[in-house]
Every structure is written in structure tokens, then in C-alpha cells.
Amino acid sequence: MKLGRLNHIGVATPSIEESLRYYRDVMGATIAHEPFDLAEQGVKVCFVDTPDAQGEVGKGTQIELIEPLGPESPLTGFLQKNPQGGQHHLCYEVEDIEQARSWFEGKGKRILGPTRIGAHGTPIFFLHPKDMMGQLTEIMETPKAAGH
């Protein structure tokens, strides 16, 4: 299995609206996508594009802002411990999600739940932080469409 590029860094936030202001006013972000709900995962999501090494916006790693949709959201506990929000997970791309899942399982890594469709519309799964140097890790199949 070959790990691909870092697709995004997930940042939990109590307010996507306030976080977008921060990325625009403090960090100088110029492109933000429209927020959307992932009801099946209990979160609202909005991606912020960062530039690549040559300064081309939309080609670098994205910031995925994630806000709970309600008290039953899996983010609720995280935000109770971190009321201002913070880094939630790292997401790496792979060419074949099923091959990656089998590879991680073969290494004895704990996978949290079934493979499902993530915010980019591609299959994803999460790996337990205790098996990944303390970091919740998302593995996603490389998107076929541009802009991700």
C-alpha cells in the first residue's frame, strides 16, 4: 500500500462562520467553499483552500472545518474538551480504499466503523488514534474530480 498526499487537516469548530472569518481575516484565505451538511455523520463541513508551494490556490492541502449538527454529533465530546475547537484529524489519500483498509487491518490497526462516503464524495475510513501515534487519521480514496 502506498500512502498518497495529505488531502486535508480536519479542524473541529463550534462555528464554521466564525472560523471562516478567521481564515479570511487572519490567515489571508481567499477561497472558501459553501458549507454543507453531512447529516449521516452528524456534522456540517466547509473546506478552505490553501495554496501549493508555487502559490497556486486550490492546489495545496485543504482545511476541513467541521461543526457538530447537534448534541448527538461525534464532535460534541471533542468540543466539550476543546471549547474553542482545534485540530481533529489528518486525512491522507490512497488509490484504492479497500486495498488500504485490508493493509491497515493486516497491520493490526483498529478501523473505526465501516468504509463510507466522505465530504469529497469518495470512500473513507478512520483509524484509531491509539494506533496512529495519537492522531485520528482519515484515509480517503483519491478524488477523481478536480478541486479536491
Side-chain angles (χ1 to χ4, degrees):
M1 204 263 329
K2 184 178 177 186
L3 196 62
R5 78 178 187 103
L6 177 64
N7 180 279
H8 66 265
I9 299 168
V11 176
T13 177
S15 169
I16 284 178
E17 186 177 317
E18 288 179 28
S19 293
L20 285 173
R21 272 196 293 278
Y22 168 81
Y23 278 97
R24 183 191 64 234
D25 298 345
V26 176
M27 301 300 289
T30 56
I31 296 178
H33 301 267
E34 289 296 316
F36 60 95
D37 292 351
L38 277 178
E40 63 279 0
Q41 294 183 33
V43 295
K44 179 184 284 191
V45 175
C46 186
F47 287 98
V48 176
D49 293 335
T50 65
D52 66 6
Q54 290 73 40
E56 193 170 341
V57 174
K59 300 282 186 171
T61 301
Q62 290 183 311
I63 305 297
E64 179 189 36
L65 300 173
I66 44 180
E67 174 185 327
L69 282 177
E72 300 302 314
S73 172
L75 280 183
T76 301
F78 182 91
L79 288 173
Q80 286 172 344
K81 294 175 189 169
N82 307 280
Q84 293 182 311
Q87 181 182 328
H88 183 259
H89 67 272
L90 298 176
C91 177
Y92 295 95
E93 294 180 9
V94 295
E95 287 299 317
D96 183 312
I97 196 75
E98 291 308 318
Q99 179 185 31
R101 187 178 178 101
S102 294
W103 188 84
F104 281 110
E105 287 173 336
K107 294 285 184 189
K109 306 303 181 191
R110 288 171 281 181
I111 296 175
L112 303 173
T115 300
R116 58 191 180 273
I117 300 301
H120 284 304
T122 65
I124 66 161
F125 61 84
F126 284 89
L127 295 158
H128 198 289
K130 289 183 179 177
D131 295 339
M132 302 300 291
M133 299 177 53
Q135 180 63 61
L136 179 61
T137 302
E138 179 181 357
I139 303 297
M140 72 177 279
E141 195 162 274
T142 301
K144 306 305 182 236
H148 298 291

